[in-house]
Amino acid sequence: MALDVFPIVNCSHLALTRDWYRRVLSAEVDYQFPDVGEPQFLTLRIGSGQLGLGDGTVPALHGSAPLPATGHAVDICLYVADLDLVTSEAGADVAVAPLDTPWGERVAYLRDPEGTMLLVIQDPAPGPEPAPTTLAQPSPEPPPPS
């Protein structure tokens, strides 16, 4: 049974893509191989999730190089605390400006340097705490006549 899953974006320019995720989404490098010099693979921590970035220009273990690819098969979806701040940081990489959807979410699309589409969703602000409810207690019944 799987314990965790995270996507890997195959990159033609890994360092450029890493720096984009750090700048736009405050990603932190969690792991890098090799640990010194230019990375061939790394994982980024974004909030409580992970994203892998790999050098897509060399053959992978399965024998073929993932790039060049055409189009994209996967969109990465993430929630952010401040959609306007993220889209401001992304600048020209905003593919679809923030908009309110009919299903009640505020969303935007970003395109990373590798062309990967990111569906970015404003994390709904917590609403006010509901007022405590008290259930009406039934009145005690009068004692039966004696």
mmCIF file of all heavy atoms in Angstrom, residues 41-80:
data_model
loop_
_atom_site.group_PDB
_atom_site.id
_atom_site.type_symbol
_atom_site.label_atom_id
_atom_site.label_comp_id
_atom_site.label_asym_id
_atom_site.label_seq_id
_atom_site.Cartn_x
_atom_site.Cartn_y
_atom_site.Cartn_z
ATOM 1 N N PHE A 41 18.547 15.724 -9.387
ATOM 2 C CA PHE A 41 17.217 15.492 -8.826
ATOM 3 C C PHE A 41 17.138 16.217 -7.499
ATOM 4 O O PHE A 41 18.129 16.307 -6.757
ATOM 5 C CB PHE A 41 16.960 13.999 -8.599
ATOM 6 C CG PHE A 41 15.627 13.733 -7.956
ATOM 7 C CD1 PHE A 41 14.461 13.731 -8.715
ATOM 8 C CD2 PHE A 41 15.527 13.523 -6.589
ATOM 9 C CE1 PHE A 41 13.223 13.521 -8.124
ATOM 10 C CE2 PHE A 41 14.290 13.309 -5.987
ATOM 11 C CZ PHE A 41 13.146 13.303 -6.759
ATOM 12 N N LEU A 42 15.963 16.728 -7.191
ATOM 13 C CA LEU A 42 15.745 17.302 -5.861
ATOM 14 C C LEU A 42 14.272 17.238 -5.520
ATOM 15 O O LEU A 42 13.418 17.063 -6.391
ATOM 16 C CB LEU A 42 16.277 18.736 -5.763
ATOM 17 C CG LEU A 42 15.810 19.781 -6.775
ATOM 18 C CD1 LEU A 42 14.523 20.441 -6.330
ATOM 19 C CD2 LEU A 42 16.888 20.833 -6.929
ATOM 20 N N THR A 43 14.000 17.321 -4.236
ATOM 21 C CA THR A 43 12.612 17.451 -3.797
ATOM 22 C C THR A 43 12.457 18.802 -3.116
ATOM 23 O O THR A 43 13.352 19.272 -2.418
ATOM 24 C CB THR A 43 12.170 16.324 -2.831
ATOM 25 O OG1 THR A 43 13.022 16.310 -1.691
ATOM 26 C CG2 THR A 43 12.197 14.975 -3.521
ATOM 27 N N LEU A 44 11.314 19.401 -3.361
ATOM 28 C CA LEU A 44 10.969 20.673 -2.753
ATOM 29 C C LEU A 44 9.834 20.450 -1.770
ATOM 30 O O LEU A 44 8.908 19.692 -2.042
ATOM 31 C CB LEU A 44 10.514 21.671 -3.824
ATOM 32 C CG LEU A 44 11.523 22.026 -4.897
ATOM 33 C CD1 LEU A 44 10.868 22.906 -5.956
ATOM 34 C CD2 LEU A 44 12.727 22.723 -4.300
ATOM 35 N N ARG A 45 9.885 21.130 -0.655
ATOM 36 C CA ARG A 45 8.805 21.136 0.322
ATOM 37 C C ARG A 45 8.010 22.397 0.064
ATOM 38 O O ARG A 45 8.544 23.497 0.091
ATOM 39 C CB ARG A 45 9.387 21.118 1.734
ATOM 40 C CG ARG A 45 8.400 21.250 2.854
ATOM 41 C CD ARG A 45 7.603 20.055 3.176
ATOM 42 N NE ARG A 45 8.346 18.823 3.258
ATOM 43 C CZ ARG A 45 7.798 17.617 3.159
ATOM 44 N NH1 ARG A 45 6.500 17.514 2.994
ATOM 45 N NH2 ARG A 45 8.512 16.529 3.233
ATOM 46 N N ILE A 46 6.715 22.220 -0.227
ATOM 47 C CA ILE A 46 5.808 23.350 -0.434
ATOM 48 C C ILE A 46 4.654 23.123 0.531
ATOM 49 O O ILE A 46 3.827 22.241 0.317
ATOM 50 C CB ILE A 46 5.313 23.425 -1.889
ATOM 51 C CG1 ILE A 46 6.495 23.528 -2.860
ATOM 52 C CG2 ILE A 46 4.360 24.607 -2.064
ATOM 53 C CD1 ILE A 46 6.106 23.433 -4.327
ATOM 54 N N GLY A 47 4.625 23.890 1.605
ATOM 55 C CA GLY A 47 3.633 23.641 2.652
ATOM 56 C C GLY A 47 3.860 22.252 3.215
ATOM 57 O O GLY A 47 4.967 21.892 3.586
ATOM 58 N N SER A 48 2.808 21.432 3.246
ATOM 59 C CA SER A 48 2.960 20.069 3.761
ATOM 60 C C SER A 48 3.188 19.067 2.625
ATOM 61 O O SER A 48 3.280 17.873 2.871
ATOM 62 C CB SER A 48 1.716 19.665 4.559
ATOM 63 O OG SER A 48 0.575 19.695 3.721
ATOM 64 N N GLY A 49 3.293 19.542 1.388
ATOM 65 C CA GLY A 49 3.480 18.650 0.244
ATOM 66 C C GLY A 49 4.895 18.678 -0.292
ATOM 67 O O GLY A 49 5.733 19.474 0.133
ATOM 68 N N GLN A 50 5.155 17.770 -1.224
ATOM 69 C CA GLN A 50 6.462 17.674 -1.864
ATOM 70 C C GLN A 50 6.297 17.679 -3.372
ATOM 71 O O GLN A 50 5.307 17.183 -3.900
ATOM 72 C CB GLN A 50 7.155 16.363 -1.498
ATOM 73 C CG GLN A 50 7.610 16.253 -0.080
ATOM 74 C CD GLN A 50 8.391 14.962 0.082
ATOM 75 O OE1 GLN A 50 9.526 14.869 -0.344
ATOM 76 N NE2 GLN A 50 7.764 13.975 0.678
ATOM 77 N N LEU A 51 7.299 18.206 -4.047
ATOM 78 C CA LEU A 51 7.373 18.186 -5.493
ATOM 79 C C LEU A 51 8.797 17.817 -5.862
ATOM 80 O O LEU A 51 9.744 18.389 -5.333
ATOM 81 C CB LEU A 51 7.025 19.564 -6.064
ATOM 82 C CG LEU A 51 7.161 19.734 -7.569
ATOM 83 C CD1 LEU A 51 6.093 18.915 -8.292
ATOM 84 C CD2 LEU A 51 7.055 21.200 -7.947
ATOM 85 N N GLY A 52 8.944 16.841 -6.751
ATOM 86 C CA GLY A 52 10.266 16.477 -7.232
ATOM 87 C C GLY A 52 10.576 17.209 -8.526
ATOM 88 O O GLY A 52 9.685 17.466 -9.328
ATOM 89 N N LEU A 53 11.836 17.558 -8.702
ATOM 90 C CA LEU A 53 12.328 18.110 -9.960
ATOM 91 C C LEU A 53 13.477 17.229 -10.407
ATOM 92 O O LEU A 53 14.399 16.969 -9.618
ATOM 93 C CB LEU A 53 12.818 19.547 -9.797
ATOM 94 C CG LEU A 53 11.829 20.598 -9.302
ATOM 95 C CD1 LEU A 53 12.514 21.960 -9.205
ATOM 96 C CD2 LEU A 53 10.612 20.676 -10.195
ATOM 97 N N GLY A 54 13.418 16.765 -11.633
ATOM 98 C CA GLY A 54 14.477 15.895 -12.134
ATOM 99 C C GLY A 54 15.030 16.403 -13.444
ATOM 100 O O GLY A 54 14.343 17.097 -14.206
ATOM 101 N N ASP A 55 16.281 16.047 -13.719
ATOM 102 C CA ASP A 55 16.910 16.383 -14.991
ATOM 103 C C ASP A 55 16.282 15.499 -16.052
ATOM 104 O O ASP A 55 16.579 14.313 -16.138
ATOM 105 C CB ASP A 55 18.419 16.165 -14.906
ATOM 106 C CG ASP A 55 19.143 16.560 -16.183
ATOM 107 O OD1 ASP A 55 18.468 16.832 -17.203
ATOM 108 O OD2 ASP A 55 20.380 16.595 -16.166
ATOM 109 N N GLY A 56 15.407 16.063 -16.849
ATOM 110 C CA GLY A 56 14.684 15.291 -17.848
ATOM 111 C C GLY A 56 15.406 15.155 -19.164
ATOM 112 O O GLY A 56 14.837 14.661 -20.135
ATOM 113 N N THR A 57 16.668 15.590 -19.228
ATOM 114 C CA THR A 57 17.398 15.541 -20.494
ATOM 115 C C THR A 57 18.278 14.307 -20.618
ATOM 116 O O THR A 57 18.902 14.100 -21.658
ATOM 117 C CB THR A 57 18.266 16.800 -20.669
ATOM 118 O OG1 THR A 57 19.254 16.845 -19.638
ATOM 119 C CG2 THR A 57 17.409 18.063 -20.615
ATOM 120 N N VAL A 58 18.368 13.501 -19.565
ATOM 121 C CA VAL A 58 19.185 12.279 -19.598
ATOM 122 C C VAL A 58 18.273 11.074 -19.399
ATOM 123 O O VAL A 58 17.197 11.196 -18.815
ATOM 124 C CB VAL A 58 20.291 12.306 -18.509
ATOM 125 C CG1 VAL A 58 21.253 13.451 -18.750
ATOM 126 C CG2 VAL A 58 19.695 12.424 -17.115
ATOM 127 N N PRO A 59 18.679 9.897 -19.879
ATOM 128 C CA PRO A 59 17.824 8.720 -19.701
ATOM 129 C C PRO A 59 17.565 8.418 -18.223
ATOM 130 O O PRO A 59 18.470 8.475 -17.395
ATOM 131 C CB PRO A 59 18.618 7.593 -20.363
ATOM 132 C CG PRO A 59 19.510 8.278 -21.337
ATOM 133 C CD PRO A 59 19.857 9.609 -20.690
ATOM 134 N N ALA A 60 16.322 8.109 -17.924
ATOM 135 C CA ALA A 60 15.925 7.711 -16.573
ATOM 136 C C ALA A 60 16.163 6.210 -16.423
ATOM 137 O O ALA A 60 16.581 5.539 -17.370
ATOM 138 C CB ALA A 60 14.453 8.052 -16.356
ATOM 139 N N LEU A 61 15.873 5.678 -15.259
ATOM 140 C CA LEU A 61 16.056 4.246 -15.019
ATOM 141 C C LEU A 61 15.284 3.393 -16.015
ATOM 142 O O LEU A 61 15.696 2.298 -16.347
ATOM 143 C CB LEU A 61 15.640 3.883 -13.598
ATOM 144 C CG LEU A 61 16.560 4.367 -12.485
ATOM 145 C CD1 LEU A 61 15.968 4.023 -11.122
ATOM 146 C CD2 LEU A 61 17.953 3.782 -12.624
ATOM 147 N N HIS A 62 14.167 3.908 -16.528
ATOM 148 C CA HIS A 62 13.380 3.132 -17.486
ATOM 149 C C HIS A 62 13.991 3.157 -18.884
ATOM 150 O O HIS A 62 13.495 2.522 -19.798
ATOM 151 C CB HIS A 62 11.917 3.575 -17.528
ATOM 152 C CG HIS A 62 11.717 5.053 -17.693
ATOM 153 N ND1 HIS A 62 11.985 5.722 -18.870
ATOM 154 C CD2 HIS A 62 11.274 5.980 -16.823
ATOM 155 C CE1 HIS A 62 11.708 7.012 -18.717
ATOM 156 N NE2 HIS A 62 11.267 7.187 -17.479
ATOM 157 N N GLY A 63 15.089 3.932 -19.062
ATOM 158 C CA GLY A 63 15.838 3.860 -20.303
ATOM 159 C C GLY A 63 15.661 4.992 -21.281
ATOM 160 O O GLY A 63 16.434 5.110 -22.219
ATOM 161 N N SER A 64 14.654 5.817 -21.129
ATOM 162 C CA SER A 64 14.487 6.916 -22.077
ATOM 163 C C SER A 64 14.471 8.253 -21.341
ATOM 164 O O SER A 64 14.119 8.323 -20.166
ATOM 165 C CB SER A 64 13.199 6.737 -22.885
ATOM 166 O OG SER A 64 12.072 6.750 -22.043
ATOM 167 N N ALA A 65 14.867 9.300 -22.056
ATOM 168 C CA ALA A 65 14.832 10.648 -21.498
ATOM 169 C C ALA A 65 13.400 11.179 -21.621
ATOM 170 O O ALA A 65 12.805 11.091 -22.690
ATOM 171 C CB ALA A 65 15.803 11.558 -22.231
ATOM 172 N N PRO A 66 12.821 11.722 -20.543
ATOM 173 C CA PRO A 66 11.447 12.208 -20.585
ATOM 174 C C PRO A 66 11.239 13.399 -21.515
ATOM 175 O O PRO A 66 10.147 13.600 -22.012
ATOM 176 C CB PRO A 66 11.161 12.609 -19.140
ATOM 177 C CG PRO A 66 12.171 11.894 -18.325
ATOM 178 C CD PRO A 66 13.374 11.735 -19.189
ATOM 179 N N LEU A 67 12.265 14.207 -21.735
ATOM 180 C CA LEU A 67 12.118 15.392 -22.576
ATOM 181 C C LEU A 67 12.792 15.154 -23.914
ATOM 182 O O LEU A 67 13.730 14.366 -23.999
ATOM 183 C CB LEU A 67 12.764 16.606 -21.898
ATOM 184 C CG LEU A 67 12.106 17.059 -20.595
ATOM 185 C CD1 LEU A 67 12.908 18.175 -19.954
ATOM 186 C CD2 LEU A 67 10.689 17.538 -20.838
ATOM 187 N N PRO A 68 12.407 15.768 -25.009
ATOM 188 C CA PRO A 68 11.383 16.805 -25.038
ATOM 189 C C PRO A 68 9.984 16.226 -25.049
ATOM 190 O O PRO A 68 9.753 15.191 -25.663
ATOM 191 C CB PRO A 68 11.668 17.543 -26.347
ATOM 192 C CG PRO A 68 12.259 16.501 -27.212
ATOM 193 C CD PRO A 68 13.019 15.566 -26.305
ATOM 194 N N ALA A 69 9.118 16.857 -24.346
ATOM 195 C CA ALA A 69 7.718 16.437 -24.312
ATOM 196 C C ALA A 69 6.901 17.493 -25.033
ATOM 197 O O ALA A 69 7.315 18.635 -25.174
ATOM 198 C CB ALA A 69 7.244 16.296 -22.869
ATOM 199 N N THR A 70 5.733 17.124 -25.488
ATOM 200 C CA THR A 70 4.835 18.105 -26.091
ATOM 201 C C THR A 70 3.571 18.155 -25.260
ATOM 202 O O THR A 70 3.086 17.129 -24.782
ATOM 203 C CB THR A 70 4.486 17.715 -27.542
ATOM 204 O OG1 THR A 70 3.887 16.427 -27.544
ATOM 205 C CG2 THR A 70 5.717 17.694 -28.414
ATOM 206 N N GLY A 71 3.075 19.343 -25.070
ATOM 207 C CA GLY A 71 1.886 19.488 -24.240
ATOM 208 C C GLY A 71 2.214 19.140 -22.800
ATOM 209 O O GLY A 71 3.359 19.127 -22.385
ATOM 210 N N HIS A 72 1.200 18.845 -22.042
ATOM 211 C CA HIS A 72 1.409 18.385 -20.672
ATOM 212 C C HIS A 72 0.264 17.449 -20.309
ATOM 213 O O HIS A 72 -0.872 17.649 -20.709
ATOM 214 C CB HIS A 72 1.523 19.551 -19.687
ATOM 215 C CG HIS A 72 0.273 20.353 -19.537
ATOM 216 N ND1 HIS A 72 -0.111 21.309 -20.439
ATOM 217 C CD2 HIS A 72 -0.700 20.334 -18.603
ATOM 218 C CE1 HIS A 72 -1.259 21.837 -20.057
ATOM 219 N NE2 HIS A 72 -1.638 21.269 -18.943
ATOM 220 N N ALA A 73 0.606 16.413 -19.566
ATOM 221 C CA ALA A 73 -0.387 15.409 -19.206
ATOM 222 C C ALA A 73 -0.959 15.631 -17.816
ATOM 223 O O ALA A 73 -1.989 15.068 -17.479
ATOM 224 C CB ALA A 73 0.230 14.011 -19.288
ATOM 225 N N VAL A 74 -0.293 16.435 -17.010
ATOM 226 C CA VAL A 74 -0.677 16.584 -15.608
ATOM 227 C C VAL A 74 -0.698 18.061 -15.249
ATOM 228 O O VAL A 74 0.194 18.811 -15.628
ATOM 229 C CB VAL A 74 0.340 15.850 -14.697
ATOM 230 C CG1 VAL A 74 0.041 16.081 -13.232
ATOM 231 C CG2 VAL A 74 0.371 14.366 -15.010
ATOM 232 N N ASP A 75 -1.716 18.475 -14.539
ATOM 233 C CA ASP A 75 -1.729 19.782 -13.894
ATOM 234 C C ASP A 75 -1.461 19.533 -12.415
ATOM 235 O O ASP A 75 -1.980 18.568 -11.846
ATOM 236 C CB ASP A 75 -3.090 20.467 -14.012
ATOM 237 C CG ASP A 75 -3.420 20.921 -15.427
ATOM 238 O OD1 ASP A 75 -2.531 20.887 -16.293
ATOM 239 O OD2 ASP A 75 -4.578 21.302 -15.651
ATOM 240 N N ILE A 76 -0.666 20.384 -11.807
ATOM 241 C CA ILE A 76 -0.421 20.290 -10.372
ATOM 242 C C ILE A 76 -1.354 21.282 -9.694
ATOM 243 O O ILE A 76 -1.444 22.440 -10.099
ATOM 244 C CB ILE A 76 1.051 20.580 -10.048
ATOM 245 C CG1 ILE A 76 1.946 19.520 -10.700
ATOM 246 C CG2 ILE A 76 1.273 20.647 -8.543
ATOM 247 C CD1 ILE A 76 3.421 19.781 -10.564
ATOM 248 N N CYS A 77 -2.047 20.824 -8.677
ATOM 249 C CA CYS A 77 -3.012 21.655 -7.966
ATOM 250 C C CYS A 77 -2.490 21.927 -6.564
ATOM 251 O O CYS A 77 -2.012 21.013 -5.892
ATOM 252 C CB CYS A 77 -4.354 20.920 -7.906
ATOM 253 S SG CYS A 77 -5.627 21.821 -7.019
ATOM 254 N N LEU A 78 -2.565 23.173 -6.125
ATOM 255 C CA LEU A 78 -2.148 23.490 -4.767
ATOM 256 C C LEU A 78 -2.980 24.618 -4.202
ATOM 257 O O LEU A 78 -3.510 25.449 -4.938
ATOM 258 C CB LEU A 78 -0.661 23.841 -4.719
ATOM 259 C CG LEU A 78 -0.200 25.011 -5.556
ATOM 260 C CD1 LEU A 78 0.849 25.795 -4.795
ATOM 261 C CD2 LEU A 78 0.410 24.483 -6.837
ATOM 262 N N TYR A 79 -3.107 24.604 -2.889
ATOM 263 C CA TYR A 79 -3.809 25.649 -2.156
ATOM 264 C C TYR A 79 -2.779 26.612 -1.587
ATOM 265 O O TYR A 79 -1.715 26.194 -1.135
ATOM 266 C CB TYR A 79 -4.636 25.056 -1.006
ATOM 267 C CG TYR A 79 -5.863 24.331 -1.496
ATOM 268 C CD1 TYR A 79 -5.830 22.977 -1.786
ATOM 269 C CD2 TYR A 79 -7.062 25.017 -1.674
ATOM 270 C CE1 TYR A 79 -6.955 22.307 -2.241
ATOM 271 C CE2 TYR A 79 -8.189 24.363 -2.135
ATOM 272 C CZ TYR A 79 -8.127 23.013 -2.407
ATOM 273 O OH TYR A 79 -9.245 22.371 -2.869
ATOM 274 N N VAL A 80 -3.085 27.899 -1.632
ATOM 275 C CA VAL A 80 -2.199 28.920 -1.088
ATOM 276 C C VAL A 80 -2.992 29.832 -0.162
ATOM 277 O O VAL A 80 -4.210 29.960 -0.286
ATOM 278 C CB VAL A 80 -1.529 29.751 -2.208
ATOM 279 C CG1 VAL A 80 -0.646 28.870 -3.092
ATOM 280 C CG2 VAL A 80 -2.553 30.493 -3.044
#
